[in-house]
Amino acid sequence: MPDESSVLDFQRVSLQYEGTWALRNVSLALKAGETRIILGAAGSGKTTLLKAVIGLVHVDEGTIKIFGEEVTSRKEHELYSLRGRAGMLFQEGALFDSLSIGENVEYPLMNQQPTGRQGDEASLQSEADQRAREALRFVELEQTFDKFPSELSGGMRRRVGIARAIVTEPPLILYDSPTAGLDPITANTIMALVAKERDVRNTTSLIVTHRYQDGELMANFRYNPERAELVPVPEEEQTDPSHSRTKFIVMKEGEVIFLGTRRELESCDDDYVKRFVRHEA
Amino acid sequence: MQYEGEVVAGSSCLLRFLTTWIGSFQEFLILAGLAFRNVVRRPHYYDDVFLQMDIIGVGSLPIVILTGAFSGAIIALQMSRALNTYGASSQVGAIVSLTLVRELGPVLTALLVAGRNASGIASELGSMKVTEQIDAMRALGTDPVQKLVTPRLTATAIMLPCLTVVADAIGLFGAFVVAVPLLRLITSEQYWSTSWRALVLNDLGQGLGKPFVFGMLIALIGCFYGLRTTGGTQGVGRATTQAVVAASIWIFFVTFLIDKIFVNL
Ligand SMILES: Nc1ncnc2c1ncn2[C@@H]1O[C@H](COP(=O)(O)OP(=O)(O)OP(=O)(O)O)[C@@H](O)[C@H]1O
Ligand SMILES: [Mg+2]
């Protein structure tokens, strides 16, 4: 019997692509409000892991459950309602080229509207407009509402991707490399948004990243609504493992070879794991 | 011993080729089945159907008109010489209308549209695939077959017969220009009455049935190669080429099949 608050549950999940393991015997469990930072070399299966969560790839073995419901045994059209409760930021943003920024962010709202809802077409549209603008304001890009993805920089597209992932306020959000290839300032802005989203709405999140700092930020900072900024988590809470809702995962060739807190990660002496930890000189 | 090894290697290579080919064909049939099923299922994306009809139909009009006119004129030129040797140049209208309506109109138009739109569809869907837009669509609760494949299928199946009718009409006119004012083989009334009377219902059925089938083939093949694209931008290029080649080959093969059935009727 899974825990009531268990949001995500992987049990011995394996997936092979033409003989190479993309996921190998992966087991994971996340409760509501928890965060996992996923580190690993290129091609180690991080994106595949995220896609498997919402059934975008079919696994060969094992079971995946989100919100207590099984993903792995469902057919594609039975997954749509479940996917509505998870937001995903794709590695390259994956914005729809043919739609404007506003339409991109509205898309999940217009699409995942439960059927038979009150209100006519026009009021639904204006409500979606409103919420899309809010989500864009959250990522500080409201002025781009009528532009097209091709007119935006890579970092801006990534932020629009975040807006699209969070606009329906899903309880589970999957971020695939939110900071890859960005300058440090933009990267920090984005991670601050991710942390803010987590603390304001208590979302559960999986974050794939290449930057160790991103994980540090998620683990050591917390959004303070009064001051409207991130503040460091007090030192005594950082050391107490019962407080740490942020854990790190290191993947290698499809396998999870490390799972633990930031301190455990920093004291781990596996050569592969060490590569992903920044040690103070 | 040595030869045996080669034979085994050769046959296993052939076997591998056959199994991958059959596997792809099976996937194609599954995609086609899903796309057809969605024609009658909700939600319907009418906006996308009209947009595709505009891109495929209206967009192809200029090239279809040009090609139609020239092919009609060329057939008239060639036929007038051949018919002259039999003293049958009065039949030029009949010959032109038969070849155009039955074969050349449907096949040439389909080949043009395959070159223009099977490639367009494959590259558009292929780019969406490699930039994860297809995955994003699925993640956001939209069935890519419903949203992308079915509108293209419907639009092409409707527009290709229309384009073919246009090509036939323009082709007849092109032949008229050669036969009547240019070569003065027959009078204008003779030309139009012989060309019209040459056609029977069977010809019109073939002339419209073929493009209907070709239209579905073109859209489905374009979508199929687009959606199975892998390997970045290079993969998109590959998918585009494969789509055009496959669509063209299938157009000829299906023409052959249909003719085999109808000619014997
Ligand atoms: N569609 C696919 N077809 C075949 N192999 C694939 C496919 N997608 C992923 N793979 C393979 O699966 C493995 C894991 O890929 P994945 O995209 O999950 O890596 P990743 O950890 O996200 O890498 P990166 O950090 O570069 O994004 C790789 O070896 C990759 O080659
Ligand atoms: Mg990846």
Side-chain angles (χ1 to χ4, degrees):
Chain A
M1 195 62 216
D3 193 308
E4 271 302 298
S5 63
S6 163
V7 172
L8 177 74
D9 187 32
F10 268 57
Q11 274 181 15
R12 306 181 70 84
V13 173
S14 295
L15 167 63
Q16 261 185 327
Y17 282 117
E18 290 130 27
T20 58
W21 294 95
L23 294 177
R24 189 170 190 175
N25 233 333
V26 174
S27 297
L28 282 181
L30 266 85
K31 293 201 177 66
E34 288 188 331
T35 301
R36 294 284 179 279
I37 309 292
I38 305 172
L39 301 164
S44 56
K46 306 180 296 295
T47 299
T48 311
L49 179 80
L50 292 198
K51 286 188 177 174
V53 171
I54 51 174
L56 292 178
V57 294
H58 293 284
V59 300
D60 301 330
E61 276 168 49
T63 51
I64 300 169
K65 284 183 186 164
I66 56 176
F67 307 109
E69 298 191 54
E70 203 170 320
V71 173
T72 26
S73 62
R74 292 196 179 203
K75 295 210 179 69
E76 177 81 11
H77 65 95
E78 296 168 330
L79 282 168
Y80 290 144
S81 61
L82 211 48
R83 286 180 188 154
R85 296 165 70 187
M88 177 153 181
L89 166 69
F90 285 85
Q91 196 157 2
E92 305 295 339
L95 301 181
F96 300 126
D97 292 327
S98 55
L99 302 181
S100 72
I101 298 303
E103 288 166 331
N104 261 290
V105 180
E106 277 169 20
Y107 194 93
L109 291 170
M110 301 305 284
N111 214 46
Q112 292 168 351
Q113 213 65 254
T115 43
R117 253 193 57 151
Q118 305 293 327
D120 55 311
E121 195 81 356
S123 76
L124 281 182
Q125 176 67 47
S126 77
E127 190 202 320
D129 239 67
Q130 195 65 33
R131 286 178 63 184
R133 277 184 196 281
E134 246 167 61
L136 280 170
R137 199 175 311 134
F138 187 83
V139 296
E140 293 156 24
L141 281 176
E142 203 190 349
Q143 73 283 2
T144 63
F145 194 87
D146 293 313
K147 291 198 170 160
F148 279 85
S150 54
E151 298 171 82
L152 266 54
S153 75
M156 289 161 102
R157 280 202 290 267
R158 202 71 58 71
R159 270 144 72 195
V160 174
I162 294 181
R164 187 174 69 177
I166 64 173
V167 71
T168 54
E169 303 184 2
L172 170 66
I173 307 187
L174 315 166
Y175 298 94
D176 197 348
S177 313
T179 58
L182 300 180
D183 63 281
I185 298 169
T186 316
N188 282 333
T189 315
I190 287 185
M191 286 319 292
L193 289 173
V194 170
K196 183 174 152 192
E197 172 67 25
R198 174 196 62 186
D199 296 332
V200 171
R201 294 205 247 273
N202 192 37
T203 48
T204 312
S205 27
L206 282 180
I207 304 170
V208 169
T209 181
H210 293 95
R211 298 197 330 154
Y212 178 63
Q213 304 96 289
D214 294 348
E216 265 188 320
L217 188 144
M218 289 300 288
N220 299 349
F221 286 82
R222 153 182 318 163
Y223 183 73
N224 183 324
E226 280 106 65
R227 289 163 59 186
E229 62 178 17
L230 292 183
V231 294
V233 174
E235 188 67 25
E236 62 276 12
E237 275 188 39
Q238 282 187 33
T239 44
D240 180 2
S242 66
H243 269 91
S244 77
R245 301 193 300 169
T246 303
K247 283 191 184 149
F248 291 77
I249 290 174
V250 180
M251 293 188 70
K252 181 186 185 184
E253 290 162 18
E255 272 181 288
V256 171
I257 58 161
F258 174 87
L259 169 63
T261 62
R262 185 176 71 93
R263 275 167 205 270
E264 286 163 358
L265 180 69
E266 276 170 6
S267 57
C268 179
D269 48 71
D270 184 289
D271 280 337
Y272 181 83
V273 173
K274 271 188 188 163
R275 279 167 46 194
F276 300 98
V277 183
R278 187 194 54 187
H279 290 282
E280 255 74 29
Chain B
M1 267 326 267
Q2 189 190 355
Y3 288 117
E4 237 170 60
E6 271 174 28
V7 170
V8 170
S11 65
S12 82
C13 184
L14 184 72
L15 199 71
R16 195 148 3 101
F17 172 77
L18 272 182
T19 42
T20 47
W21 192 84
I22 290 172
S24 309
F25 190 62
Q26 198 178 2
E27 277 171 43
F28 177 77
L29 290 182
I30 291 171
L31 178 74
L34 288 176
F36 280 114
R37 195 186 62 181
N38 286 345
V39 172
V40 293
R41 276 204 184 177
R42 279 157 55 79
H44 297 294
Y45 296 102
Y46 293 115
D47 290 354
D48 292 284
V49 176
F50 289 125
L51 181 70
Q52 289 304 321
M53 280 169 75
D54 185 48
I55 293 172
I56 295 163
V58 181
S60 305
L61 210 53
I63 187 169
V64 165
I65 288 177
L66 262 178
T67 322
F70 278 106
S71 46
I74 290 162
I75 305 169
L77 272 176
Q78 291 289 354
M79 285 302 161
S80 62
R81 243 183 67 199
L83 289 172
N84 238 342
T85 47
Y86 301 107
S89 39
S90 61
Q91 290 304 310
V92 64
I95 297 271
V96 170
S97 77
L98 274 183
T99 29
L100 265 184
V101 171
R102 262 200 214 159
E103 295 295 346
L104 281 180
V107 172
L108 279 182
T109 315
L111 286 176
L112 287 174
V113 172
R116 211 179 152 270
N117 295 303
S119 57
I121 292 172
S123 65
E124 190 186 355
L125 268 55
S127 320
M128 292 183 76
K129 176 76 192 300
V130 298
T131 56
E132 296 183 311
Q133 287 177 58
I134 303 278
D135 277 337
M137 206 171 251
R138 291 170 59 207
L140 296 175
T142 306
D143 175 6
V145 176
Q146 183 96 51
K147 172 83 177 163
L148 299 172
V149 181
T150 304
R152 282 166 177 75
L153 174 71
T154 320
T156 322
I158 295 173
M159 290 321 275
L160 197 57
C162 300
L163 286 171
T164 307
V165 170
V166 172
D168 290 348
I170 300 282
L172 276 174
F173 181 74
F176 166 82
V177 171
V178 169
V180 183
L182 205 66
L183 298 179
R184 299 181 187 286
L185 297 173
I186 42 175
T187 67
S188 167
E189 293 85 62
Q190 269 179 319
Y191 174 83
W192 290 116
S193 69
T194 49
S195 60
W196 179 245
R197 252 183 288 146
L199 299 174
V200 293
L201 200 62
N202 185 353
D203 300 321
L204 293 179
Q206 270 195 63
L208 289 176
K210 278 181 189 171
F212 184 67
V213 177
F214 295 159
M216 297 191 286
L217 267 178
I218 290 169
L220 286 173
I221 290 175
C223 291
F224 175 70
Y225 282 103
L227 289 180
R228 78 203 293 251
T229 306
T230 51
T233 34
Q234 247 186 334
V236 177
R238 214 177 313 125
T240 310
T241 319
Q242 284 175 331
V244 176
V245 171
S248 309
I249 292 173
W250 276 101
I251 286 167
F252 282 112
F253 181 63
V254 171
T255 308
F256 174 77
L257 281 185
I258 295 179
D259 285 356
K260 185 87 184 60
I261 298 165
F262 276 83
V263 168
N264 291 344
L265 276 183

